[in-house]
Amino acid sequence: NGFTINGREDDYLWSEPYLNNKQVFVVRSDSGINSAADLAGKIVDVQTDSSAQAALDENKELSSTFARLDIVPDYNTGFMNLESGACDAVAMDIVVASYQIEQRGGDTFKILDDVIAEEEYGVGFKLGNTELRDKVQGALDEMAADGTMAEISTKWFGEDITTVGK
């Protein structure tokens, strides 16, 4: 899971961001939905207490166009609803969306180009624990320099989406 830095900058001591994440919409490939504007009058699922929910709560201009914004307990429920036609889209992290789509065969769903919001992921530490933060940051820097971070990212996400050392 990702740990979002944005909005928590003063609550933790942070590593440098290791990944830029986006909140996006996933729809069925055959839905005819090609943009966020096409979601007007549609049912959209979002995971409870997620960054996507927070972003849509803040963007009433967009979310007020939906027929409904349904809060679901987890993204698996959202995908089951999308598969069954109980909803028209799921708002979620692009990292999770890409993984879920790949696990489900890759052709049934697509990610819309519209971005709801963006955020940075990092490693959070107890305030004042600079010694541990510096050790972890050093390891992240080494992994970026020797290609290990890119290799792990490519294995799990199909490409290097990391930001350390770039």
Side-chain angles (χ1 to χ4, degrees):
N1 200 351
F3 195 28
T4 304
I5 295 172
N6 311 82
R8 298 176 172 146
E9 291 88 350
D10 298 330
D11 298 335
Y12 301 91
L13 184 62
W14 291 99
S15 69
E16 291 177 22
Y18 62 81
L19 187 124
N20 289 326
N21 189 40
K22 299 174 186 173
Q23 307 306 316
V24 296
F25 294 105
V26 177
V27 298
R28 288 184 313 277
S29 297
D30 64 357
S31 68
I33 298 170
N34 296 304
S35 71
D38 294 339
L39 294 172
K42 305 291 187 189
I43 299 169
V44 177
D45 278 6
V46 66
Q47 180 176 293
T48 187
D49 295 325
S50 65
S51 295
Q53 181 184 9
L56 288 172
D57 286 347
E58 290 176 16
N59 189 345
K60 294 296 185 193
E61 184 177 329
L62 174 59
S63 61
S64 67
T65 68
F66 306 155
R68 284 195 331 255
L69 180 61
D70 289 346
I71 312 302
V72 295
D74 53 61
Y75 288 128
N76 284 329
T77 301
F79 266 93
M80 286 189 294
N81 289 345
L82 192 55
E83 285 175 318
S84 72
C87 75
D88 300 289
V90 180
M92 61 191 310
D93 296 343
I94 194 167
V95 172
V96 177
S98 298
Y99 178 77
Q100 290 282 352
I101 290 169
E102 182 182 324
Q103 294 303 303
R104 288 171 161 75
D107 295 337
T108 307
F109 305 102
K110 67 180 178 181
I111 298 170
L112 300 183
D113 290 336
D114 300 88
V115 174
I116 306 164
E118 296 187 41
E119 62 190 355
E120 297 175 310
Y121 283 173
V123 180
F125 303 88
K126 181 179 175 181
L127 290 172
N129 196 346
T130 55
E131 182 180 350
L132 181 57
R133 190 268 324 263
D134 291 348
K135 287 179 182 178
V136 170
Q137 186 62 53
L140 292 172
D141 292 340
E142 287 176 23
M143 291 172 66
D146 71 11
T148 303
M149 190 174 285
E151 186 179 309
I152 293 168
S153 179
T154 302
K155 175 183 176 182
W156 290 101
F157 307 119
E159 62 183 314
D160 180 12
I161 61 172
T162 62
T163 58
V164 177
K166 296 178 183 161

